Amino acid sequence: MKTTATYGLMAEFDSPRALITAAEKTHKEGYKKIDAYTPYPIEEVAEAIGFHHNNVPLVTLIGGIVGGLSGYLMQFWISTIDYPVNIGGKPYHSWPSFIIVTFEMTILFAGISAVFGMLALNGLPMPYHPVFNVSRFAMASKDRFFLIVFASDKKYDAVATRQFLESLGPVSVAEVPS
Amino acid sequence: MDNSTEQLKVPRAPVIGPGHTFATITDKISSIVLTRPLSNGWFLGFGIAFLLMNMMLFAIGYLFVRGTGIWGVTIPIGWGFAIVNFVWWIGIGHAGTLISAILMLLRQSWRNSINRFAEAMTLFAVSCAGVFPLIHVGRPWLAYWLFPYPNSMGVWPQFRSPLVWDVFAVSTYATISALFWFIGLVPDLATLRDRSENRVAKMIYGMLALGWRGSARHWARYETAYLLLAGLATPLVLSVHTVVSFDFAVGIVPGWHTTIFPPYFVAGAIYSGFAMVLMLAIPIRKIYGLEDFITDRHLQNSAKVMLATGLIVAYGYIIELFMGWYSGNRYEAFTMWNRMHGPYAFYYWMLWVCNIFVPQVLWIRKLRTSPLWLFLISGVVLVGMWLERFIIVVVSLHRDFLTSSWGMYYPTRWDWMTYIGTIGMFLAAIFLFVRILPMISIFEMRTLLPEAEVKHK
């Protein structure tokens, strides 16, 4: 029986290898709503919890295309339609001169999209989160590795899941209050 | 493993001292910010830098009251110190982006301990650079006219002008550098949030950390975004000094109108930037006991980059001279002759001494690995690179096509106060930075440890 007071069960590991093995087993066991927390990026952990693709490249590509197009079209519209000025007999649509601003706008929009797209997809900023209720979780930004099974998982059971996590050889298992 | 790779590995100094773990790295770097008391030396250094910065503010305040007439700029030398210093500062910034973006794409993991403060250096250097064009426009309160925005005057910027390209290049560079730096800081801010004992500090770091919790999904998107930013920043940084060089090269002034400018400006920028990185890293690692993280290998690698980019700069100088002769253009030839024999000849030869001759001692391994020597040579290179911009801006302008429009340039005390003041502003920002934010990327250092190795053998 699920209770609303619990957010999930969290197991603590003291090495990246132990976390990866545990995450792989948990994922294989059929738990789908799981996550892991590490003090530095480990590609293998994301693989182990079944997270293979993310949309940051797509967002960045769209940002870059929008930036490049708006940069070029802006210059085209200003220089040929809204404010045509004869500069040294150069054509109004002097496209080689427009390349630099187009390039800079592409980079600017793509970069901003990459950063803010990443934050938005991650749901950040989010100053409060239930995992912070576990006091040992402060070590996740130092030298400890955590695995969580969310209470919303179909297979989640307060007793059976705890037993399963304890069988993975963690340092400790804690309940995360929501 | 075969013998050849074994042999390659042996003589290399480590990028991180022996005996460190995730915990010791975290403690060592975060304690500089969180627990180390402020020393008298810090107060003295910051105080001097802060005073110099106020001198700059005073000089700029007086400039706003009296106008650019208080400077040494006159016709024919309309660009003077403002542009010399702008190009010098923005060039210094380039090393930060090179270290954080290009070396990352090249998988040079030794960069992990110097990228954070090199990026901070970039940001502060670009801020110093940004001061000059703003105060040089004459009516700085109207500087926003440079940006294309719908206005009641019905006018728009002129997009065939390199000066407008420069506005876009430099503002994009400043924005992307700031984002790159901040995004790199977020996981470390979370570390500081979790380790801080002080309630106020905890709240401030907590807000800046955006609630970062190190989720594997977050890390995956984070790594992708960081890699993409590095890929975007790489062509960007090359474009910035290229566009700065277009400010000159697109003009027809002899000494400016040359196609060698973009590559030679970019190389010069990286050259002076690495000199600044060394001038900052050598005292900082000594004062804060960070020799385990910023090792001799970092210093030596930086010295090698300086040597390489210095040689590209030397090639640029030689080609300039060669083209002065080979072009058959009497104005070009005169410009080169005037550099060597004209009223500013002393500075031209000092340029050769500072940028080309002195740094050749870096071929000697003993000097390349000596922090003191590296510090001194870096200082010489920074002076040399400043002279290079002075030669390009002032010496090219003071003798143009018509003898009737020749002139001389004498910087005034206000020019010097503004220039030295920006050095104070830069150093004041560095002093604050090292005590407020982790100057070495903690999470990237963790990835360098043997215990972080997870690949199945």
Side-chain angles (χ1 to χ4, degrees), chain A residues 8-85:
Chain A
L9 276 171
M10 186 185 260
E12 175 188 339
F13 299 89
D14 58 5
S15 81
R17 236 172 235 268
L19 174 74
I20 292 166
T21 319
E24 275 167 357
K25 278 186 188 157
T26 313
H27 193 253
K28 216 171 269 172
E29 187 75 10
Y31 291 103
K32 296 297 166 212
K33 292 195 173 168
I34 58 175
D35 204 350
Y37 303 93
T38 55
Y40 59 91
I42 310 172
E43 212 176 308
E44 290 80 358
V45 174
E47 296 286 325
I49 63 164
F51 185 71
H52 302 290
H53 299 287
N54 71 67
N55 287 329
V56 174
L58 181 67
V59 173
T60 310
L61 177 70
I62 293 171
I65 291 172
V66 169
L69 280 178
S70 53
Y72 195 88
L73 293 176
M74 172 189 73
Q75 296 178 84
F76 176 78
W77 179 76
I78 288 173
S79 308
T80 65
I81 296 168
D82 197 53
Y83 192 59
V85 180

Side-chain angles (χ1 to χ4, degrees), chain A residues 34-40 44 54 60 78 82-83 91-92 94 97 100 104 121-122 124-126 129 141-142, chain B residues 22 155-156 160 165 191 194 210-211 213-219 221 224 228 236 239 246 446 451-452 455:
Chain A
I34 58 175
D35 204 350
Y37 303 93
T38 55
Y40 59 91
E44 290 80 358
N54 71 67
T60 310
I78 288 173
D82 197 53
Y83 192 59
Y92 293 134
S94 30
S97 299
I100 285 164
E104 303 294 342
L121 290 168
N122 282 350
L124 297 175
M126 187 195 280
H129 192 270
S141 66
K142 189 185 179 190
Chain B
F22 295 136
V155 297
W156 291 99
R160 297 172 197 88
W165 305 343
T191 298
D194 294 342
L210 309 175
R213 50 187 189 271
S215 155
R217 290 184 173 78
H218 291 187
W219 275 124
R221 295 192 188 101
T224 311
L228 286 170
L236 175 65
S239 85
F246 284 166
R446 292 188 189 117
E451 60 178 316
K455 291 256 156 54

Side-chain angles (χ1 to χ4, degrees), chain B residues 63-64 133-144:
Chain B
L63 173 81
F64 286 2
L134 282 183
I135 60 177
H136 191 240
V137 293
R139 289 184 292 169
W141 50 93
L142 298 176
Y144 62 89

Side-chain angles (χ1 to χ4, degrees), chain A residues 143-161:
Chain A
D143 60 348
R144 288 303 160 103
F145 303 80
F146 293 85
L147 179 68
I148 189 171
V149 178
F150 296 117
S152 54
D153 191 281
K154 276 194 191 113
K155 219 170 159 312
Y156 180 86
D157 178 274
V159 180
T161 306

Side-chain angles (χ1 to χ4, degrees), chain B residues 411-448:
Chain B
T412 64
R413 77 185 78 160
W414 302 102
D415 284 306
W416 285 108
M417 280 164 73
T418 314
Y419 171 48
I420 295 168
T422 51
I423 297 176
M425 173 169 134
F426 176 78
L427 291 177
I430 293 279
F431 272 104
L432 288 176
F433 161 71
V434 297
R435 296 312 307 261
I436 293 176
L437 294 167
M439 66 176 120
I440 294 178
S441 173
I442 306 174
F443 83 89
E444 285 177 295
M445 289 302 280
R446 292 188 189 117
T447 63
L448 294 182

Side-chain angles (χ1 to χ4, degrees), chain A residues 91-137:
Chain A
Y92 293 134
H93 181 206
S94 30
W95 66 268
S97 299
F98 299 165
I99 286 175
I100 285 164
V101 171
T102 307
F103 171 79
E104 303 294 342
M105 292 278 282
T106 309
I107 300 277
L108 181 67
F109 276 57
I112 289 176
S113 308
V115 170
F116 290 97
M118 180 272 286
L119 290 177
L121 290 168
N122 282 350
L124 297 175
M126 187 195 280
Y128 170 77
H129 192 270
V131 291
F132 293 125
N133 291 331
V134 179
S135 62
R136 290 190 66 79
F137 188 72

Side-chain angles (χ1 to χ4, degrees), chain B residues 6 24 35 48 53 67-68 88 96 99 107 138 156 160 197 210 284 288 293 314 351 383-384 398 402 408 410 431:
Chain B
E6 193 79 53
T24 60
T35 53
I48 293 172
M53 184 176 98
T68 40
W88 188 70
I99 290 169
R107 295 184 179 278
W156 291 99
R160 297 172 197 88
E197 305 283 330
L210 309 175
I284 283 176
Y288 293 102
F293 300 154
L351 164 74
V383 171
H398 90 127
L402 289 174
M408 284 295 284
Y410 302 103
F431 272 104

Side-chain angles (χ1 to χ4, degrees), chain B residues 91-369:
Chain B
I92 286 171
H94 278 41
T97 319
L98 180 103
I99 290 169
S100 54
I102 300 182
L103 294 186
M104 180 185 166
L105 294 183
L106 298 175
R107 295 184 179 278
Q108 298 292 309
S109 56
W110 58 273
R111 89 189 234 294
N112 285 8
S113 60
I114 52 171
N115 70 338
R116 171 70 47 73
F117 86 79
E119 282 168 37
M121 182 195 83
T122 295
L123 215 51
F124 304 148
V126 172
S127 312
C128 290
V131 167
F132 288 103
L134 282 183
I135 60 177
H136 191 240
V137 293
R139 289 184 292 169
W141 50 93
L142 298 176
Y144 62 89
W145 284 6
L146 289 162
F147 289 97
Y149 71 102
N151 57 69
S152 57
M153 300 174 286
V155 297
W156 291 99
Q158 211 287 90
F159 287 106
R160 297 172 197 88
S161 163
L163 299 183
V164 172
W165 305 343
D166 218 16
V167 172
F168 278 83
V170 173
S171 54
T172 299
Y173 185 49
T175 312
I176 296 292
S177 302
L179 284 175
F180 203 32
W181 187 60
F182 176 70
I183 262 333
L185 269 168
V186 165
D188 284 358
L189 290 168
T191 298
L192 292 182
R193 170 197 67 201
D194 294 342
R195 317 225 356 106
S196 177
E197 305 283 330
N198 180 315
R199 240 189 96 74
V200 178
K202 210 177 179 68
M203 274 183 63
I204 294 173
Y205 287 129
M207 275 189 272
L208 291 174
L210 309 175
W212 184 261
R213 50 187 189 271
S215 155
R217 290 184 173 78
H218 291 187
W219 275 124
R221 295 192 188 101
Y222 179 94
E223 285 280 275
T224 311
Y226 202 77
L227 186 67
L228 286 170
L229 265 187
L232 291 165
T234 298
L236 175 65
V237 69
L238 298 179
S239 85
V240 173
H241 233 61
T242 301
V243 173
V244 169
S245 81
F246 284 166
D247 292 343
F248 302 97
V250 174
I252 54 164
V253 175
W256 285 6
H257 193 60
T258 117
T259 48
I260 191 88
F261 262 22
Y264 139 51
F265 265 55
V266 171
I270 291 162
Y271 190 35
S272 61
F274 266 89
M276 189 59 103
V277 165
L278 283 172
M279 283 204 89
L280 294 175
I282 289 168
I284 283 176
R285 73 174 204 147
K286 182 93 188 148
I287 293 166
Y288 293 102
L290 295 171
E291 281 97 341
D292 278 356
F293 300 154
I294 304 172
T295 63
D296 292 342
R297 175 147 160 226
H298 294 98
L299 302 187
Q300 204 182 332
N301 283 357
S302 306
K304 286 178 184 166
V305 174
M306 267 171 63
L307 194 53
T309 47
L311 288 172
I312 301 176
V313 169
Y315 173 79
Y317 296 169
I318 292 164
I319 288 294
E320 270 189 327
L321 288 176
F322 172 75
M323 290 311 292
W325 166 74
Y326 185 72
S327 66
N329 180 319
R330 57 194 295 190
Y331 298 105
E332 287 288 336
F334 172 74
T335 299
M336 292 306 142
W337 183 89
N338 182 50
R339 279 187 188 177
M340 291 185 281
H341 304 285
Y344 294 104
F346 172 74
Y347 301 104
Y348 183 67
W349 295 115
M350 281 311 289
L351 164 74
W352 275 84
V353 170
C354 294
N355 270 358
I356 310 300
F357 298 135
V358 171
Q360 298 313 313
V361 302
L362 291 174
W363 288 102
I364 304 164
R365 194 188 173 86
K366 215 174 200 167
L367 299 185
R368 202 164 64 217
T369 50

